[in-house]
């Protein structure tokens, strides 16, 4: 048990310690080459600790409590794996980059939050790690310092801060409703169904986490951020960091208590996102933007799974959903690295394109891939009714979107090298591609939805194949008539949003004018007297 | 017997006398020695403050000293409860830190002319002595004197550089503060006329809910609000706090504005402990909310760093005054009342550290660049990484991000608002946090960006000064490691009902 405690602590402490080591200039300059080591203890914890360490408490003044149940361990392990491989990719990617050390610092901070949030067991630790992963990501998104990346960073931070305010309020409601002043998430969730502020808490949680996972219309930051961020950063942000919102929904929603209205509302919002992401994604030409819209779609589907499970009061939904999320961590992380490797590759593109095609089509549920297993794992939640059909159609949409992605990957390359990509980029790519195919097969039995053999049964195979075939047919249509589609700017409704925000400028000017007026002597003196009179009158009138 | 000198009571006298001796010595020895005198006094002052806090904590009792053995109402008493002790330690940590950073800015000059140095160092000690007198005063007239001393020590700090602009700002500050003093004195006179004493302990036993008491308390409160610059009475704050030399701004924004707030707390919780239950407490919440919302928006719209930080002070003062609407509505005995009270005080302390650090960081940036235009900050993050890190940590506390002290304070205010069902105050706190996030981000994003052309630094900033500023900001963050529960130290000397509320 002590070993498990130590592993959890080390998982969080290692990136923090490496960040602290950046105080030394010598270590700071070497840090970009060492990033792959930071998440190693987390991977070890995910492999060795789950179940054996129900709750690890650190004494005051830290007062952090960590835990690692099976859904969290799946997310932690796969996220750590992605962080390791993307960290190895960074070592080569950052070579010769003038701001490499600064990038490494933001990387380590984001990493600490991203892995910590999977383990946090109390409200304060969760809020802390969640804030760290959310806000530190700004440093990665805005790293390039171009106007585009600065804008992406600003939009991102604005929505992240908004989401955190919503969550803070939700957490305060939950803490107030928890008996005995416990701050443990499990106690707070147990008390939630009977809370006098139940609906307010749930609304705040769903809005806050919805912004993080990009539920439409809270998705606008995703296309901007993933397009602007450097390749390895986009990989870990879209793969690992976004799962902070997923673990939030898994940890905080009371799955054991059926709440059909709330569950179906979440599922509806999720399903809408799933189709919206595909619809806007196919109008994009930048492969990174296409992948970002695919994330909007995939996270929407995940929200739909969780919503349906919650509506039915099925706690098992969290296992299937976290398996599906774990698959997405690896696949999405891998595909972003593929963009980077493809850009550095010469004419011999197949070592990139072939694995990338398998992974991409896996998101559409191609048989024998992790995506097909993920579909099986959440089958019980989605069922065979309307929602099941919609989910299958969204898989067809995903297949379509991924074919579009592969096409963009090939056509949008502006490379003029004739050489193979550097080994330091190629190996991490192959490693993550392999992991994205193999790991889901290893993890599948943990979900308890059946055996690996189920995925090979002919009925299952057919139900996985037809959406892919439909996607291929649709892609034929897109190929033919795609030029007629309207050009949607990346971030779609972010433009009207920004315009609306600019319209508030007159308010700010009005507040400034009011400030100048109030700060005149006669006005301020009169305000002082009025305040004295009003206070006196208030004491006199209402006690 | 409520009035008798307790063991260790002499420490209270020492806390006031030490800085005063320093002032006298500095004046006597002249500007060539003022700096040395001030720096020599500081460690002793810190020891005294810590000793007082330790004594209050160990005995779980109020520390008291009756001057000359004359019992109130004839004589005057000094009194240190948990709140005084916490505020005194805060001041005793901040003043020496400010002194360390200010040494390079107000050095003892080689020639005979040493006026700026003399004025700064004596005023710094005078502010400290006056603050301690405010924190320890147990008598409303004594407190008036202490508050005036504080104002007269603080005002010249604004115009140390002697520019016309800062002189005007100082005069503005002085006149409005005097207006506030008049109202305070008027109220105090009414209380004396009606109840025959100004000793807080005696007064709280005699005061009755009647018009004369209400008139007196509302006049005194309004007068103190003017000195605390609660919106819309903030006309003097932005020019004064932004125009003063950075170490002076730090003293003014970090510590001086907390003194009138402290006195309003004394009036509302000690002189008339039932006052926060009145609807008037909700009325007091309105300017507090306006301060948070408008102050933050105004901070967002500033183009100069020091003005941005000054408007952020306007906003943060608003959070302090939320303590009144959130503590009322029931009895102080309710747990939420105690939570709000602790949250408000913790906000005062963590803001003191964060704001002191931020103003001094802004000062270092100004020294290095020769300006503090926010649009021209690009590259400063690489030139002065420690300073910008300090700005960021201070900003974190203002935004209320965990694990900072500002987070714990905000979480407690929110908890109190939810517990009492007054969600609208919670909304104000949240929106204020988002807006604070906006202005902190504005500064940091600029500071961390790459400059378009190489940054030319006007002056080299020593590492030591940067590290002191950083240590203060770090302390504001470390305050967040206090538990999310009412702080026991702060409750020492509160009415029993408050302690009961914890159970």
């Amino acid at each position: 048990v002590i070993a498990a405690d130590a592993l959890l602590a080390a998982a969080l402490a290692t990136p923090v310690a490496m960040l602290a080591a950046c105080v030394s200039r010598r270590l700071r300059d070497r840090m970009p080459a060492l990033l792959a080591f930071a998440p190693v203890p987390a991977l070890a914890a995910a492999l060795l600790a789950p179940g054996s360490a129900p709750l690890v408490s650190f004494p005051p003044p830290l007062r952090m409590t960590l835990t690692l149940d099976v859904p969290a361990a799946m997310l932690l392990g796969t996220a750590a794996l992605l962080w390791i491989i993307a960290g190895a990719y960074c070592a080569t990617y950052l070579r010769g980059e003038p701001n490499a050390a600064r990038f490494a610092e933001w990387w380590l901070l984001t990493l600490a939050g991203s892995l910590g949030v999977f383990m946090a067991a109390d409200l304060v630790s969760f809020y802390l790690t969640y804030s760290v992963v959310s806000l530190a990501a700004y440093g990665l998104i805005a790293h390039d310092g171009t106007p585009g990346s600065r804008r992406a960073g600003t939009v991102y931070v604005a929505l992240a801060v908004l989401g955190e305010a919503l969550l803070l309020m939700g957490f305060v409601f939950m803490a107030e409703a928890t008996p005995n002043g416990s701050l443990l998430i499990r106690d707070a969730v147990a008390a939630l169904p009977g809370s006098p502020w139940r609906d307010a808490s749930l609304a705040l949680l769903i809005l806050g986490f919805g912004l993080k996972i990009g539920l439409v219309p809270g998705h606008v930051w995703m296309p901007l951020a993933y397009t602007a961020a450097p390749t390895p950063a986009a990989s870990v942000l879209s793969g690992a960091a976004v799962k902070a919102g997923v673990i939030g929904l898994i940890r905080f929603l009371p799955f054991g208590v059926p709440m059909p209205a709330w569950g179906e509302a979440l599922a509806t919002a999720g399903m809408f996102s799933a189709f919206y992401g595909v619809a806007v994604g196919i109008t994009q030409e930048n492969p990174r933007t296409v992948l970002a819209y695919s994330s909007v779609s995939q996270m929407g589907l995940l929200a739909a799974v969780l919503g349906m499970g919650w509506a039915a009061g099925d706690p098992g939904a969290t296992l299937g959903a976290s398996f599906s999320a774990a698959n997405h961590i690896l696949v999405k992380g891998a595909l972003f690295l593929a963009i980077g490797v493809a850009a550095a590759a010469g004419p011999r593109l197949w070592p990139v394109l072939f694995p990338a095609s398998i992974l991409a089509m896996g998101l559409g549920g191609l048989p024998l891939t992790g995506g097909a297993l993920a579909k099986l794992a959440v089958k019980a939640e989605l069922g065979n009714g309307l929602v099941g059909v919609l989910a299958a159609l969204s898989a067809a949409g995903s297949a379509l979107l991924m074919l579009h992605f592969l096409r963009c990957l090939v056509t949008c390359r502006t490379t003029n090298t004739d050489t193979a990509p550097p080994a330091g980029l190629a190996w991490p790519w192959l490693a993550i591609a392999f992991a994205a195919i193999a790991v889901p097969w290893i993890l599948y039995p943990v979900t308890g939805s059946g055996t690996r053999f189920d995925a090979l049964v002919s009925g299952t195979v057919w139900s996985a194949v037809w959406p892919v075939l439909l996607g291929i047919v649709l892609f034929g249509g897109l190929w033919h008539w795609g030029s007629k589609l309207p050009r949607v700017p990346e971030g779609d409704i972010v433009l009207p949003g920004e315009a609306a925000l600019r319209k508030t400028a007159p308010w700010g000017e009005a507040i400034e004018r009011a400030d100048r007026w109030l700060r005149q002597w006669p006005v301020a003196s009169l305000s002082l007297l009025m305040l004295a009179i009003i206070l006196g009158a208030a004491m006199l009138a209402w006690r | 017997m409520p009035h008798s000198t307790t063991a260790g009571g002499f420490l209270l006298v020492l806390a006031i006398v030490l800085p005063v001796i320093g002032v006298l010595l500095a004046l006597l020895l002249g500007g060539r020695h003022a700096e040395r005198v001030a720096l020599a006094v500081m460690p002793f002052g810190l020891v005294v403050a810590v000793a007082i806090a330790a004594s209050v904590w160990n005995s779980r009792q109020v520390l008291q000293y009756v001057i000359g053995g004359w019992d109130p109402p004839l004589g005057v008493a000094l009194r240190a409860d948990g709140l005084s002790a916490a505020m005194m330690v805060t001041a005793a940590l901040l003043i020496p830190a400010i002194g360390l950073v200010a040494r390079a800015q107000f050095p003892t000059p080689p020639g005979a002319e040493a006026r700026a140095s003399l004025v700064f160092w004596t005023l710094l000690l005078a502010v400290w002595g006056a603050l301690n007198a405010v924190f320890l005063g147990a008598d409303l007239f004594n407190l008036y004197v202490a508050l005036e001393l504080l104002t007269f020590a603080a005002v010249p700090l604004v115009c140390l550089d002697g520019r016309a602009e800062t002189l005007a700002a100082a005069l503005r500050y002085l006149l409005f503060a005097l207006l506030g003093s008049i109202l305070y004195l008027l109220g105090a006179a009414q209380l004396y006329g009606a109840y025959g004493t100004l000793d807080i302990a005696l007064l709280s036993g005699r005061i009755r809910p009647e018009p004369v008491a209400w008139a007196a308390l509302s006049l005194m409160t309004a007068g103190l609000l003017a000195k605390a610059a609660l919106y819309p009475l903030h006309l003097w704050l932005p020019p004064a706090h932004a125009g003063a030399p950075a170490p002076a701004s730090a003293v003014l924004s970090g510590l001086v504005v907390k003194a009138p707030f402290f006195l309003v707390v004394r009036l509302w919780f000690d002189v008339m402990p039932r006052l926060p239950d009145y609807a008037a407490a909700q009325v007091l919440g309105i300017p507090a909310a306006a301060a948070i919302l408008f102050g933050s928006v105004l901070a967002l719209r500033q183009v100069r760093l020091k003005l941005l930080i000054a408007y952020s002070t306007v906003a943060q003062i608003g959070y302090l005054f939320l303590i009144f609407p959130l503590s009322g509505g029931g009895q102080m005995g309710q747990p939420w009342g105690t939570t709000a009270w602790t949250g408000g005080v913790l906000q005062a302390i963590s803001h003191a550290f964060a704001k002191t650090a931020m103003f001094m960081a802004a000062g270092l940036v100004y020294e290095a660049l020769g300006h503090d235009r926010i649009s021209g900050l690009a590259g400063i993050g690489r030139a002065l990484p420690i300073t910008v890190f300090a700005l960021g940590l201070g900003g974190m506390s203002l935004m209320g991000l965990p694990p900072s002290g500002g987070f714990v304070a905000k979480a407690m205010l929110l908890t109190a608002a939810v517990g009492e069902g007054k969600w609208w105050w919670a909304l104000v706190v949240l929106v204020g946090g988002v807006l604070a996030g906006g202005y902190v981000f504005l500064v940091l994003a600029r500071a961390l960006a790459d400059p378009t052309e190489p940054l030319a630094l006007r002056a080299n900033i020593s590492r030591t000064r940067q590290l002191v500023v950083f240590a203060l900001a770090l302390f504001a963050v470390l305050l967040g490691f206090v538990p999310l529960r009412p702080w026991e130290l702060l409750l020492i000397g509160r009415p029993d009902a408050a302690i009961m509320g914890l159970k």
Side-chain angles (χ1 to χ4, degrees):
Chain A
V1 177
I2 292 171
D5 287 16
L7 272 178
L8 287 197
L12 194 55
T14 309
V16 175
M18 287 174 72
L19 186 62
C22 288
V23 171
S24 144
R25 181 149 299 185
R26 212 165 51 88
L27 289 173
R28 184 171 185 264
D29 290 338
R30 304 184 74 181
M31 210 48 86
L34 303 174
L35 294 177
F37 295 100
V40 171
L43 182 60
L47 291 174
L48 304 173
S52 61
L55 205 62
V56 184
S57 300
F58 296 96
L62 280 174
R63 283 191 305 277
M64 252 191 151
T65 38
L66 302 179
T67 187
L68 199 63
D69 50 10
V70 174
M74 271 197 275
L75 291 170
L76 178 69
T78 42
L81 193 59
L82 173 61
W83 278 103
I84 290 173
I85 294 171
Y89 185 97
C90 278
T92 304
Y93 179 87
L94 291 175
R95 205 168 288 156
E97 150 87 41
N99 291 320
R102 187 182 74 189
F103 184 86
E105 287 169 344
W106 288 115
W107 180 278
L108 288 170
L109 194 59
T110 314
L111 163 67
S114 168
L115 299 181
V117 79
F118 297 128
M119 300 184 282
D122 65 292
L123 290 168
V124 179
S125 307
F126 186 92
Y127 191 70
L128 169 64
T129 47
Y130 188 90
S131 306
V132 169
V133 62
S134 294
L135 296 180
Y138 168 78
L140 299 178
I141 294 168
H143 175 77
D144 287 346
T146 59
S149 68
R150 279 215 299 274
R151 168 172 173 247
T154 307
V155 171
Y156 172 76
V157 165
L159 290 176
V161 170
L162 178 66
E164 263 159 58
L166 297 170
L167 286 179
L168 178 61
M169 195 64 231
F171 289 2
V172 168
F173 276 127
M174 288 182 77
E176 270 295 288
T178 312
N180 306 324
S182 166
L183 287 173
L184 288 181
I185 297 172
R186 61 169 188 220
D187 294 345
V189 173
L192 185 54
S195 157
W197 305 285
R198 187 193 77 172
D199 290 338
S201 312
L202 290 174
L204 288 163
L205 291 174
I206 290 175
L207 285 174
F209 291 129
L211 271 172
K212 183 89 213 163
I213 63 170
L215 279 189
V216 177
H219 69 290
V220 292
W221 62 270
M222 264 189 188
L224 297 180
Y226 296 169
T227 309
T231 306
S235 165
V236 290
L237 293 179
S238 66
V242 73
K243 301 303 181 295
V246 175
I247 190 76
L249 290 173
I250 288 177
R251 279 242 192 283
F252 282 89
L253 297 182
F255 286 97
V257 183
M259 295 189 186
W262 276 108
E264 281 159 20
L266 178 61
T268 309
M271 209 46 105
F272 181 74
S273 283
F275 285 99
Y276 186 94
V278 172
V280 183
I282 54 172
T283 68
Q284 302 296 315
E285 285 177 340
N286 186 332
R288 295 155 161 273
T289 321
V290 177
L291 279 189
Y293 277 104
S294 157
S295 279
V296 172
S297 173
Q298 293 290 319
M299 293 298 102
L301 190 66
L302 209 57
V305 169
L306 288 170
M308 292 310 290
W310 182 21
D314 168 20
T318 58
L319 264 179
S322 49
F323 176 79
S324 177
N327 177 57
H328 185 255
I329 290 179
L330 295 171
V331 172
K332 198 47 68 71
L335 290 178
F336 269 105
L337 290 189
I339 299 176
V341 180
R348 220 167 61 105
L349 203 54
W350 70 262
V352 186
L353 212 51
F354 177 64
S357 308
I358 295 178
L359 293 177
M361 294 317 288
L363 285 182
L366 185 71
L368 306 185
T369 63
L373 290 172
K375 267 176 73 175
L376 266 184
V378 299
K379 203 171 171 233
E381 279 70 38
L382 295 173
N384 294 319
L386 174 66
V387 183
V389 173
L390 284 174
L393 286 176
S394 92
S398 278
L400 162 68
L401 187 57
M402 284 299 107
L403 286 166
H404 178 61
F405 160 73
L406 292 169
R407 178 176 159 209
C408 292
L409 185 63
V410 176
T411 56
C412 299
R413 273 180 347 127
T414 52
T415 176
N416 41 17
T417 55
D418 328 315
T419 53
L425 302 186
W427 279 113
W429 149 244
L430 290 175
I432 189 74
F434 176 74
I437 291 168
V439 170
W441 284 98
I442 300 170
L443 282 181
Y444 185 68
V446 179
T447 63
S449 349
T451 63
R452 298 181 183 107
F453 187 71
D454 295 345
L456 308 172
V457 176
S458 64
T460 320
V461 169
W462 170 243
S463 74
V465 163
W466 74 258
V468 177
L469 291 179
L470 179 58
I472 293 172
V473 171
L474 288 172
F475 181 65
L478 181 68
W479 186 281
H480 217 83
W481 293 293
S483 56
K484 294 208 170 70
L485 283 177
R487 285 276 146 262
V488 180
E490 57 185 44
D492 54 281
I493 56 169
V494 75
L495 291 174
E498 283 172 322
L501 210 58
R502 272 194 291 277
K503 288 227 175 71
T504 62
W507 294 11
E509 281 159 26
I511 291 174
E512 253 178 10
R513 271 198 304 278
D515 183 58
R516 277 197 294 277
W517 184 73
L518 285 169
R519 295 204 295 114
Q520 291 169 329
W521 270 104
V523 183
S525 312
L526 198 66
S527 313
L528 176 57
L529 285 179
M530 291 300 290
L531 209 59
I533 292 168
I534 292 171
L535 278 175
M539 289 183 203
L540 200 65
W542 315 283
R543 263 155 260 162
Chain B
M1 189 61 209
H3 293 101
S4 56
T5 297
T6 54
F10 71 97
L11 286 170
L12 307 184
V13 184
L14 221 53
I16 298 174
V17 167
L18 253 179
V20 173
I21 292 178
V23 171
L24 293 177
L25 262 182
L27 289 175
L28 208 66
L29 297 174
R32 311 212 36 75
H33 301 279
E35 180 187 353
R36 233 168 299 157
V37 170
L39 292 175
V41 166
M42 284 171 185
F44 293 105
L46 179 59
V47 169
V48 169
V50 171
I52 289 173
S55 170
V56 170
W57 177 245
N58 288 331
S59 66
R60 297 290 194 280
Q61 241 152 36
V62 169
L63 218 57
Q64 202 157 251
Y65 185 84
V66 181
I67 296 173
W70 294 87
D71 275 357
L74 219 55
V76 281
L78 299 175
R79 193 169 175 277
D81 56 10
L83 176 61
S84 323
M87 296 304 291
M88 282 178 68
V89 172
T90 303
L93 285 170
L94 287 177
I95 298 267
I98 292 168
L100 284 179
V101 178
R103 280 187 73 182
Q105 209 170 341
F106 297 99
T108 306
E113 169 62 40
R115 204 172 45 191
S117 170
L118 174 69
V119 174
F120 175 79
W121 292 102
T122 48
L123 287 178
L124 188 62
L125 288 178
V127 164
W128 192 6
L131 278 172
N132 281 346
V134 169
F135 296 145
L136 294 175
D139 169 290
L140 292 180
F141 187 75
N142 246 10
L143 286 172
Y144 168 75
V145 175
L147 202 59
E148 288 304 274
L149 274 177
L150 185 63
T151 307
F152 289 131
V155 167
L157 278 176
V158 173
C159 53
L160 279 175
D161 60 6
R163 283 180 300 142
E165 191 188 324
T166 53
L167 278 170
L171 214 58
R172 215 165 222 263
Y173 178 17
L174 179 67
L175 287 179
F176 206 64
L178 284 179
L179 215 55
S181 301
I182 292 170
L183 292 186
Y184 179 95
L185 205 55
L186 220 58
Q190 276 180 313
L191 284 180
Y192 190 71
Y195 304 110
T197 182
L198 286 175
D199 180 79
I200 291 175
L202 292 176
L203 195 57
S204 69
R206 295 183 194 174
I207 202 164
R208 281 188 307 278
E210 56 188 348
V212 60
W214 297 328
L217 287 171
S218 50
L219 283 172
M220 295 171 87
T221 304
L224 291 167
L225 296 188
K227 289 195 180 225
L230 182 65
Y231 194 92
L233 307 178
H234 65 293
L235 81 160
W236 59 269
L237 191 147
H241 285 196
S249 310
V251 182
L252 296 173
S253 236
L255 288 169
V256 174
V257 289
K258 306 296 186 310
F261 163 72
F262 178 89
L263 288 189
V264 182
V265 170
R266 280 267 182 266
L267 287 184
W268 286 55
F269 289 94
D270 290 347
V271 173
M272 197 161 178
R274 302 250 318 129
L275 211 47
D277 302 344
Y278 279 50
Q282 304 302 314
V283 174
L284 194 48
I286 296 169
I292 295 172
L293 300 177
F294 297 137
S296 303
V297 172
L298 289 164
L300 261 174
R301 297 182 61 88
Q302 298 306 312
V303 291
R304 279 186 46 216
L305 180 57
K306 283 188 80 181
L307 266 172
L308 180 147
I309 302 178
Y311 270 106
S312 142
T313 298
V314 171
Q316 298 286 322
I317 289 168
Y319 285 103
L320 301 181
F321 282 91
L322 279 186
I323 202 176
F324 300 100
L326 289 179
S327 295
Q331 277 76 45
M332 178 64 189
Q334 282 188 350
W336 299 304
T338 317
T339 305
W341 195 85
T342 316
V345 174
L346 196 56
Q347 164 72 15
I349 296 172
S350 68
H351 176 252
F353 280 96
K355 198 44 73 73
T356 304
M358 289 182 81
F359 256 126
M360 288 201 295
L364 297 183
V365 168
Y366 192 106
E367 271 181 58
L369 293 179
H371 72 81
D372 67 343
R373 287 188 307 279
I374 296 166
S375 58
L377 289 181
I380 195 71
R382 189 171 303 176
L384 301 176
I386 307 173
T387 305
V388 172
F389 198 12
L391 262 180
L393 287 180
M396 213 171 118
S397 194
L398 296 192
M399 289 167 70
L401 281 184
S404 68
F407 166 71
V408 177
K410 218 161 96 173
M412 289 176 118
L413 290 175
L414 288 173
T415 304
V418 169
E420 293 183 22
K422 296 174 186 154
W423 53 269
W424 47 93
W425 300 127
L427 195 66
V428 170
V429 171
L430 287 178
V431 174
V434 171
L435 291 171
Y439 61 71
V440 170
F441 170 76
L442 212 67
V443 172
L444 289 183
R446 287 277 180 209
L448 294 177
D450 290 324
T452 42
E453 53 203 66
L455 206 61
L457 289 194
R458 287 261 204 100
N460 273 324
I461 308 297
S462 82
R463 218 177 146 79
T464 327
R465 295 173 79 200
Q466 296 196 56
L467 282 175
V468 172
V469 174
F470 176 74
L472 289 182
L474 189 66
F475 196 89
V477 171
L478 293 181
L479 270 176
F481 286 97
V482 304
L484 258 175
R485 281 196 302 273
W487 242 12
E488 228 182 299
L489 170 69
L490 294 181
L491 296 175
I492 296 173
R494 312 259 17 105
D496 290 343
I499 316 281
M500 290 295 289
L502 276 179
K503 302 286 152 52

